[in-house]
Amino acid sequence: MDHPSQGIVPPQPPVIEPGYTFATVTDKISSIVLTRPVSNGWLIGFGIAFLIVMILLYAVGYLFVRGVGIWGVNIPIGWGFAIVNFVWWIGIGHAGTLISAILLLLRQAWRNSINRFAEAMTIFAVACAGMFPLLHLGRPWLFYWLFPYPNTMQYWPQFRSPLVWDVFAVSTYATTSLLFWFVGLIPDLATLRDRAESRVAQIVYGILAMGWRGSARHWSRYETAYLLLAGLATPLVLSVHTVVSFDFAIGIVPGWHTTIFPPYFVAGAIYSGFAMVLILAIPIRKFYGLEDFITERHLENSAKVMLATGLIVAYGYAIEAFMGWYSGNRYDSFLLWNRLHGPYHAWYWALLSANIFFPQILWIRKLRTNPLALFLISGVILTGMWLERFIIVVVSLHRDFLNSSWGMYYPTRWDWATFIGTLGFFTACMFLFLRLLPGISIFEMRTLLPEAEVKSP
Amino acid sequence: MKRTPIYGLMAEFDSPTELVVAARKTFAAGYKRIDAYSPFPVEELAEAIGFQRNGVPFVVLVGGILGCLGGYLMQWWIATVSYPVNVGGRPYHSAPAFIVVTFEMTILCAVLAAVFGMLALNGLPMPYHPVFNVPRFRFATKDRFFLIVFSSDPKYTSTETRVFLESLAPRSISEVPS
């Protein structure tokens, strides 16, 4: 170490390996969509995912015929898997917005190679999330009653209810994510239009690119709009999981009625979202040979975000436990006892191991840069975050104030089929996305190259 | 044979630096109706072709304000005028409970204004544009940089403008048929 500053700021590994030009970056990313033949691996992966989508359709079709009675929901546990899965999926979406909007505002250039598929992940995760409350409605075909529109029944939604807030938060979030993603795609769609060989691809990408030609005036407005969208999406993403947590926190059930919920939900959302980003990024970079674009630095940074948000989540659990004891409220302290020793205690201990104890191995640098280890840890964290929502929904509801209203919740095969079905739907959408659209933002990768900088004469 | 009218003269460059230098010189030479094309956003370029301010921030501000007022007024009107529901004696006009939806409507309208305002100000979608007639222009979305002087520029003449563009040492010059 011969320079004093080296000890303070360790040299950062590059976000894109050296030796690339505008042309090679363009060719490498667009060839995945335009010239590479469909591989057997893709067909098998998509085929399996598609079969699981069929399971989802079957489960939903049967639900439409028979009603929510086929699920394990009952009184007192009226929310069950549907709300567990809703909260889990919508949380996963949050990492995509964090990467595309918040890291853009913070000028974290490394995000440019993972933001596109992270945004796609957000959209598909929100689509999965959106299914559950609608299916849980009982009469899902009347879902539009949730929105304020003039109707012959002369009724309006109740705006003091957090469930109505949730409708607005989630639909705004879905719209914003979709538009943000599409705006980011426009210049790349123009690249695909100009490089496609087949007439059909030229026409389809041409329509989607809307005649983008890269004019300096257009770029100027585009950059302003993109930055403003990022600035609008940042408070939005924080508000969405806050509002989701209000669904619980506004209620009076022990385990729900707590002020720590908004920050703790948002941190948990980002925690599980980054785990999903890694679950997707690690196979994608391997199978499509994108190690030069999604480098070890991306993996390590994501692992660090997981470590930090995981500790915030741990703080949330600690405060819940502390308040259960310190408040002296017998219902709150019973809730704590019930989590540790009650009928679902195994689930709670699994949650603590998966979300708090096990991820601490991310402190070891070697494991943060080891793709296989990260892939496995991410799987554990995703399971842990799902268990967290199960504990919050089911364990809080099954033992409330009166012994006479206690009960148990047992998920049925239809609960599992619907949940696993959405996993298949999500995976199938990701497979299609990778084949049909550029999985990495081509124009933003060009700006990372050294020659993209305008040298002053 | 009828001569095709000319839309402008287009010069091709290899790097963003060359394009910015050339655009500055062209603007300084008195050409005001010019445009530049690049495969990624180049910050200096808009100012080099004399494009000072864009209307997007204003459109977004208006969208956000309308969403905010509209969202709040909608809830106020529904909860107090059209469909008042007495919930445990709470006031009909319960402002704190209206904050969330007001906030979401603000964001939603600002986002819609940003996306559709940007597209409208850019004149998109526009499937046909004369610059696409230049065969090499398809590299404008890959790795080439283009500068165009429109024939509508008062200073434009087909010979003098070509001589001027040649003095900028471009890779090639092509006429853009309209």
Side-chain angles (χ1 to χ4, degrees):
Chain A
M1 202 173 291
D2 35 30
H3 194 272
S5 73
Q6 272 184 351
I8 306 160
V9 186
Q12 289 274 20
V15 288
I16 175 169
E17 295 294 329
Y20 280 99
T21 64
F22 298 134
T24 53
V25 165
T26 311
D27 286 338
K28 185 146 189 176
I29 303 173
S30 60
S31 70
I32 295 174
V33 178
L34 292 174
T35 51
R36 271 171 83 126
V38 176
S39 66
N40 285 337
W42 188 91
L43 275 180
I44 293 167
F46 178 71
I48 293 172
F50 191 72
L51 283 179
I52 303 175
V53 177
M54 293 301 110
I55 296 177
L56 174 70
L57 281 182
Y58 187 65
V60 171
Y62 192 58
L63 176 83
F64 275 40
V65 175
R66 294 286 308 273
V68 283
I70 64 167
W71 287 351
V73 288
N74 54 35
I75 299 299
I77 301 109
W79 274 8
F81 260 34
I83 304 305
V84 173
N85 298 336
F86 162 69
V87 180
W88 187 72
W89 272 120
I90 201 124
I92 284 170
H94 280 36
T97 319
L98 180 102
I99 289 170
S100 58
I102 301 183
L103 296 185
L104 178 80
L105 296 180
L106 297 176
R107 294 178 179 275
Q108 297 292 310
W110 59 274
R111 81 180 250 295
N112 284 8
S113 50
I114 53 172
N115 70 330
R116 172 67 48 73
F117 81 82
E119 284 166 30
M121 174 193 89
T122 296
I123 292 163
F124 304 144
V126 172
C128 290
M131 280 183 221
F132 283 105
L134 297 188
L135 295 176
H136 187 250
L137 285 176
R139 289 187 286 170
W141 49 92
L142 298 176
F143 72 93
Y144 57 91
W145 285 10
L146 293 163
F147 292 101
Y149 72 101
N151 55 72
T152 51
M153 299 168 287
Q154 302 206 331
Y155 100 117
W156 292 96
Q158 169 57 272
F159 283 105
R160 298 181 196 90
S161 161
L163 298 181
V164 171
W165 304 348
D166 217 23
V167 172
F168 277 80
V170 173
S171 46
T172 300
Y173 185 50
T175 314
T176 303
S177 305
L178 193 64
L179 287 172
F180 196 45
W181 184 63
F182 180 68
V183 167
L185 270 169
I186 293 172
D188 285 357
L189 289 167
T191 299
L192 293 180
R193 169 198 67 201
D194 293 344
R195 297 182 48 69
E197 302 286 335
S198 85
R199 191 78 192 128
V200 177
Q202 284 172 348
I203 291 174
V204 171
Y205 290 126
I207 290 172
L208 290 172
M210 297 192 295
W212 181 262
R213 50 189 190 273
S215 149
R217 289 181 177 82
H218 290 186
W219 275 125
S220 167
R221 295 192 189 103
Y222 179 92
E223 285 283 281
T224 311
Y226 199 66
L227 208 58
L228 287 172
L229 284 177
L232 291 164
T234 299
L236 175 67
V237 68
L238 299 180
S239 87
V240 172
H241 231 58
T242 301
V243 173
V244 170
S245 81
F246 284 168
D247 291 345
F248 301 94
I250 304 278
I252 54 163
V253 176
W256 287 7
H257 191 60
T258 143
T259 49
I260 191 98
F261 261 27
Y264 151 56
F265 264 55
V266 172
I270 292 164
Y271 190 34
S272 59
F274 265 89
M276 188 59 102
V277 166
L278 284 178
I279 289 265
L280 297 172
I282 289 167
I284 290 173
R285 77 196 275 273
K286 175 128 181 61
F287 293 126
Y288 286 105
L290 295 172
E291 281 98 341
D292 291 348
F293 295 165
I294 304 174
T295 61
E296 274 187 1
R297 188 169 152 201
H298 295 99
L299 302 184
E300 195 183 354
N301 283 355
S302 307
K304 284 177 180 168
V305 173
M306 290 200 302
L307 195 54
T309 48
L311 289 172
I312 301 176
V313 169
Y315 173 78
Y317 297 155
I319 285 292
E320 274 191 326
F322 173 77
M323 290 313 289
W325 167 75
Y326 182 72
S327 66
N329 181 315
R330 57 187 293 199
Y331 299 107
D332 280 349
S333 45
F334 171 72
L335 175 89
L336 179 63
W337 183 90
N338 187 41
R339 280 183 176 175
L340 291 169
H341 308 286
Y344 294 103
H345 72 275
W347 298 61
Y348 190 64
W349 286 106
L351 152 75
L352 291 182
S353 339
N355 271 357
I356 301 185
F357 305 129
F358 192 62
Q360 298 311 316
I361 60 170
L362 289 174
W363 288 101
I364 305 166
R365 188 166 189 282
K366 261 218 166 79
L367 289 175
R368 285 203 306 267
T369 51
N370 179 334
L372 181 66
L374 279 179
F375 187 80
L376 296 175
I377 295 169
S378 302
V380 171
I381 291 173
L382 280 172
T383 317
M385 286 307 295
W386 187 87
L387 287 170
E388 179 195 302
R389 278 66 190 254
F390 182 86
I391 298 289
I392 290 174
V393 171
V394 173
V395 177
S396 307
L397 282 175
H398 91 128
R399 294 279 184 271
D400 69 357
F401 303 98
L402 290 173
N403 312 40
S404 58
S405 64
W406 288 4
M408 284 297 284
Y409 174 75
Y410 302 102
T412 65
R413 72 182 86 161
W414 299 108
D415 282 306
W416 287 110
T418 318
F419 174 50
I420 293 168
T422 52
L423 289 173
F425 175 78
F426 177 81
T427 319
C429 287
M430 284 307 292
F431 268 102
L432 285 178
F433 160 70
L434 286 174
R435 272 310 300 184
L436 298 175
L437 293 168
I440 294 179
S441 173
I442 307 175
F443 85 92
E444 283 175 304
M445 289 304 280
R446 293 188 194 115
T447 63
L448 292 182
L449 297 171
E451 62 257 50
E453 205 175 315
V454 175
K455 294 153 195 86
S456 43
Chain B
M1 199 182 113
K2 200 177 150 241
R3 254 182 71 89
T4 349
I6 295 303
Y7 184 72
L9 265 183
M10 186 183 260
E12 178 186 342
F13 297 91
D14 278 334
S15 77
T17 309
E18 286 170 48
L19 178 63
V20 170
V21 171
R24 280 192 185 130
K25 280 187 186 155
T26 314
F27 192 72
Y31 292 102
K32 302 300 172 202
R33 291 194 183 171
I34 57 177
D35 204 350
Y37 302 94
S38 58
F40 54 85
V42 179
E43 220 180 319
E44 294 85 346
L45 210 50
E47 157 261 308
I49 62 161
F51 183 65
Q52 298 294 351
R53 59 204 350 260
N54 68 59
V56 174
F58 178 73
V59 173
V60 177
L61 179 69
V62 171
I65 291 174
L66 288 180
C68 179
L69 293 177
Y72 194 89
L73 286 176
M74 171 188 73
Q75 296 177 80
W76 170 83
W77 181 77
I78 287 172
T80 64
V81 179
S82 178
Y83 194 60
V85 178
N86 188 329
V87 184
R90 287 174 184 80
Y92 292 128
H93 181 193
S94 36
F98 297 164
I99 289 174
V100 175
V101 172
T102 307
F103 171 80
E104 303 296 342
M105 291 297 287
T106 309
I107 299 280
L108 180 66
C109 293
V111 164
L112 293 174
V115 174
F116 293 103
M118 183 271 286
L119 290 177
L121 289 169
N122 281 347
L124 299 175
M126 186 189 283
Y128 173 77
H129 193 274
V131 290
F132 291 127
N133 291 329
V134 178
R136 286 198 61 80
F137 191 72
R138 68 192 198 93
F139 295 107
T141 55
K142 188 184 178 193
D143 59 346
R144 296 285 169 221
F145 301 81
F146 293 86
L147 179 71
I148 187 171
V149 179
F150 297 123
S151 61
S152 56
D153 192 286
K155 218 169 164 283
Y156 177 92
T157 57
S158 56
T159 44
E160 274 169 45
T161 307
R162 181 178 279 270
V163 170
F164 173 77
L165 284 179
E166 267 161 12
S167 75
L168 302 171
R171 194 187 162 90
S172 70
I173 292 181
S174 27
E175 273 190 344
V176 185
S178 77

